[in-house]
Amino acid sequence: MSKTLQDALEEMAAKQPDRFTVPGHKGTLCPLDFTELGLRGELFPDTLVVDAEKETAKLYGVQNLFYLTHGSSLGIKAALYRFKGKEVLYADGVHRAFTEACELWDIKKVPVGEERDGFDCAADAGVPPITYEQAAHAIATHPNASALFITSPDYMGRCADRAIATFCKEKGVTLIVDAAHGAHFAFAPDLDEYRFETVAPLCNMSAHKTLAAYTQGAYLAAATEEAESVEKALRLLGTTSPNYLLLSSLSEAAKAAAGQKNDYLRLKAFSEKMHEQNICLPNQDYTRLCVTGRKYKGKALFAYCTAHNVLPETAIGEWVVFVLTPYDNGAKLKRLENLLQQA
């Protein structure tokens, strides 16, 4: 690209134009907050968004990648659009957006195993991702199923077997993966073997969860045969006025992550040290640290941490979840280490 989204925003802001456009704050809240300029965006952004999406798709090694400014919830709903009125298998741990999508598109959802009302990915640490055997059995016993929807990694950093993707392809069942918590897998050493965006026809990833994108920023990776359906669904569901600061952060976040190998290695070493020193939940994603204390557990440990000005992600059962990213420096990690030693 001759110019990035971020370059274009900074260039326009530097001119300090008299703005007789939306948004109504006219740059007073944020000088980089521009909307499209021109009848069809000829002045800005023109082709910058499409070019940025193509560049990010190359970084991920996928055929097509769409920027989302409504989080992975939008990605899940857009991915399921093509299965209107059809039967879709789903594994334990689905986000509520899956249930909402099934209601929206009149999809017959069929659980893999026993259905549990109100289950949400953050509600129970006791149910790990679907196994290959469970997926194979479900597909064999539900010949009318058009798709299988799974979550990997889950909230606790546990991953499903990528062989599920090969099996689904052989059986003509579309695999849809909610990888909201795995946007960093493409860039973090030793996590490549757990990536689904390169093997599943549809895979969403929340860049705002583990990369340096603004909140609500996400990606939806789609195989070429799925792209037309995804584009239509995004037009139906999404806004015609996306926030270009969010879009720019999606472009910049992937580029930044691609150059942070050493930071991920640093996080891996820290995580391994924490597993040696503390009671931690075994998982595949070393950037997702799930700890229970010797004195404090679950909500009590969460409260203990927050009382010491350390903010965990959440408490699930006896576990407290900490999300590690390259933006956690050594001093910050040392404070966490010291705090957990007293917990």
Side-chain angles (χ1 to χ4, degrees), residues 7 12 21 43 133 153 156 160 189 202 222 235 256 275 306 314-315:
D7 290 338
M12 285 193 295
T21 70
L43 180 60
E133 290 74 20
M156 315 297 285
L202 292 159
R235 286 197 299 271
H275 276 257
T306 57
T314 190

Side-chain angles (χ1 to χ4, degrees), residues 10 29 36 50 68 94 99 131 133 145-146 159-160 239 242 260 272 290 324 343:
E10 291 176 356
L29 292 179
E36 67 179 25
V50 173
L68 310 174
V94 293
T99 301
T131 65
E133 290 74 20
S146 298
C159 301
T239 177
Q260 292 173 324
E272 289 173 347
C290 306
L324 309 179

Side-chain angles (χ1 to χ4, degrees), residues 147-171:
L148 170 64
F149 185 95
I150 71 173
T151 303
S152 182
D154 67 2
Y155 210 86
M156 315 297 285
R158 298 169 298 190
C159 301
D161 188 344
R162 289 210 310 176
I164 293 172
T166 302
F167 183 83
C168 285
K169 186 174 182 179
E170 291 173 351
K171 299 299 179 181

Side-chain angles (χ1 to χ4, degrees), residues 8-71:
L9 290 170
E10 291 176 356
E11 181 180 300
M12 285 193 295
K15 294 178 180 178
Q16 298 183 322
D18 291 330
R19 302 189 190 190
F20 294 95
T21 70
V22 299
H25 65 76
K26 307 304 177 92
T28 57
L29 292 179
C30 175
L32 299 184
D33 190 6
F34 285 90
T35 188
E36 67 179 25
L37 301 173
L39 186 62
R40 293 181 177 84
E42 297 90 346
L43 180 60
F44 175 81
D46 196 21
T47 62
L48 288 173
V49 176
V50 173
D51 291 342
E53 287 176 332
K54 289 179 180 178
E55 183 181 38
T56 306
K58 289 181 181 179
L59 289 174
Y60 274 96
V62 297
Q63 292 174 332
N64 302 277
L65 185 140
F66 299 90
Y67 289 170
L68 310 174
T69 58
H70 290 73

Side-chain angles (χ1 to χ4, degrees), residues 176-310:
I176 307 170
V177 182
D178 177 10
H181 294 274
H184 60 296
F185 279 22
F187 313 108
D190 301 322
L191 293 182
D192 185 75
E193 63 183 294
Y194 305 112
R195 294 171 62 192
F196 269 97
E197 70 271 14
T198 56
V199 294
L202 292 159
C203 181
N204 70 271
M205 299 167 285
S206 288
H208 73 93
K209 293 187 187 299
T210 60
L211 302 185
Y214 287 127
T215 298
Q216 292 183 216
Y219 307 124
L220 177 56
T224 298
E225 63 269 20
E226 306 290 342
E228 183 177 351
S229 174
V230 166
E231 286 183 306
K232 183 174 182 180
L234 292 177
R235 286 197 299 271
L236 290 171
L237 298 169
T239 177
T240 57
S241 302
N243 185 301
Y244 289 106
L245 285 169
L246 296 186
L247 295 174
S248 176
S249 78
L250 285 168
S251 174
E252 298 300 315
K255 288 187 287 187
Q260 292 173 324
K261 179 180 178 179
N262 289 338
D263 286 300
Y264 283 112
L265 290 173
R266 174 175 59 84
L267 293 176
K268 182 181 180 183
F270 175 78
S271 182
E272 289 173 347
K273 185 179 182 181
M274 291 302 94
H275 276 257
E276 293 173 358
Q277 294 180 356
N278 302 280
I279 304 170
C280 298
L281 181 75
N283 60 11
Q284 286 76 39
D285 181 8
Y286 52 81
T287 71
R288 191 59 56 102
L289 193 62
C290 306
V291 182
T292 187
R294 293 173 177 83
K295 291 190 294 185
Y296 307 104
K297 300 182 185 299
K299 292 181 179 179
L301 177 56
F302 187 92
Y304 174 78
C305 290
T306 57
H308 288 79
N309 206 30
V310 171

